[in-house]
Amino acid sequence: TLFRSYNPGFTLYEPTSALNALNQNAIVLYQYSISPHAKVILQDSFVQASNVFDQPAGGVSGSTQSPTAAVFAPYAEQVSNLTSGESTLQFSRNGMIGAGGTYSIVNYPNPAQATGLYNSNSYGGSGFYNRRLSSTQYMGVNYQYTKMVSSAASGNSETQVNTIYSFYTLYLEHSLSLSVSGGPQHFDVSGVQLPASASWTPAISASMGWQRNHTNFAASYSRTVNGAGGLLGAFQSNTGNASVRWQVLRTWTAGSGASYTIFKNVTPLSTSASQGGHTISGSEIGR
């Protein structure tokens, strides 16, 4: 059981104009087992959308990708691509190690539709060690590095983040689990439009899951700092999520979810940088 989960926040920008454009997305996933205890996973995701409603669903909680706050510009054309890879090795009955990397781009082909947003690219790497302490307890440590470059007319802005944190997961019973993780983060911001700054900050995350034969509930909270695709500087996000599902009948499932995020710029004040915001979202399913 791995607990390397972040829940990135996002902010919405008011539309400046509507656009009728080609909307398309594609995901390619490749998994190869080198041996019974070692495997490699490669994935590439491409999205071209003319507004936020054409965007596919967000990342899956528990992803090993470096946490990056997402920005959506309603009614603005956006092209993005994320490539990631990971290799894992279970070297003993109770131990596992792994490493991975990511590269992503976010482009706005028509800048007039996304005022205040900039083309950006980012890359990063991570490594982890996980250990099973008993049949109900797991722990481990993870290191992540992320660098994001946003391109403005007057120059580039760079944000680098180093994070090292440990996690602990406890299964109180077969249907209930609790997980916590935390550790230090160091971010470094530099660029033409932003004064250079660097600082340490804590990164924390906690989650719980409860599951029965026909019902399950999950809740999580995270606090992390990283760059935001399309914006200048480093941003702190505080995010809470909750979801519940109920299998009413054998072929009928109902559920709902909610999320709240506070999104704040942690770099020194600058007229060229967004200072953040907050979001509330909800969803329902019935099938």
Side-chain angles (χ1 to χ4, degrees):
T1 299
L2 309 183
F3 183 75
R4 291 171 286 136
S5 173
Y6 281 92
N7 297 284
F10 62 92
T11 185
L12 294 177
Y13 283 77
E14 293 298 325
T16 56
S17 63
L19 174 68
N20 293 320
L22 176 65
N23 301 309
Q24 55 186 338
N25 64 80
I27 296 178
V28 177
L29 176 64
Y30 175 77
Q31 180 173 314
Y32 178 71
S33 296
I34 302 174
S35 71
H37 304 290
K39 65 180 179 180
V40 175
I41 301 175
L42 302 174
Q43 180 172 317
D44 187 85
S45 175
F46 172 82
V47 177
Q48 179 180 358
S50 61
N51 62 70
V52 68
F53 305 107
D54 297 316
Q55 303 262 357
V60 177
S61 178
S63 169
T64 60
Q65 298 169 6
S66 299
T68 302
V71 175
F72 298 108
Y75 306 107
E77 184 178 8
Q78 179 175 325
V79 177
S80 63
N81 192 87
L82 170 64
T83 301
S84 63
E86 181 182 43
S87 177
T88 63
L89 171 65
Q90 184 175 348
F91 61 88
S92 70
R93 179 181 179 183
N94 298 315
M96 176 181 287
I97 58 174
T102 63
Y103 178 77
S104 67
I105 60 172
V106 177
N107 290 334
Y108 300 93
N110 192 336
Q113 297 171 341
T115 304
L117 298 180
Y118 309 92
N119 294 340
S120 64
N121 66 82
S122 66
Y123 61 87
S126 64
F128 70 88
Y129 167 77
N130 293 341
R131 183 77 179 177
R132 180 171 63 181
L133 303 178
S134 69
S135 60
T136 60
Q137 299 181 79
Y138 300 80
M139 68 173 297
V141 63
N142 190 318
Y143 168 76
Q144 291 184 327
Y145 169 79
T146 306
K147 179 177 181 179
M148 174 168 288
V149 179
S150 297
S151 303
S154 58
N156 294 338
S157 169
E158 293 187 0
T159 300
Q160 299 184 66
V161 180
N162 289 272
T163 307
I164 182 167
Y165 63 94
S166 59
F167 80 88
Y168 174 76
T169 299
L170 172 65
Y171 289 86
L172 299 178
E173 54 183 74
H174 291 296
S175 59
L176 179 63
S177 64
L178 301 174
S179 295
V180 294
S181 68
Q185 279 189 307
H186 182 267
F187 65 87
D188 190 330
V189 180
S190 62
V192 176
Q193 298 191 37
L194 293 172
S197 63
S199 182
W200 288 92
T201 184
I204 59 174
S205 181
S207 70
M208 63 86 64
W210 178 77
Q211 183 172 354
R212 290 293 187 181
N213 291 335
H214 303 287
T215 307
N216 65 69
F217 173 78
S220 64
Y221 167 79
S222 68
R223 177 189 186 277
T224 184
V225 170
N226 215 310
L231 297 179
L232 304 179
F235 291 79
Q236 178 190 94
S237 63
N238 286 270
T239 302
N241 296 280
S243 65
V244 61
R245 285 196 176 193
W246 177 36
Q247 186 177 358
V248 184
L249 300 172
R250 186 175 63 87
T251 58
W252 181 21
T253 301
S256 64
S259 176
Y260 178 73
T261 299
I262 300 174
F263 198 56
K264 181 182 179 181
N265 194 325
V266 295
T267 52
L269 296 179
S270 171
T271 58
S272 63
S274 168
Q275 299 310 311
H278 61 89
T279 65
I280 300 175
S281 64
S283 63
E284 294 183 359
I285 62 170
R287 60 185 180 185

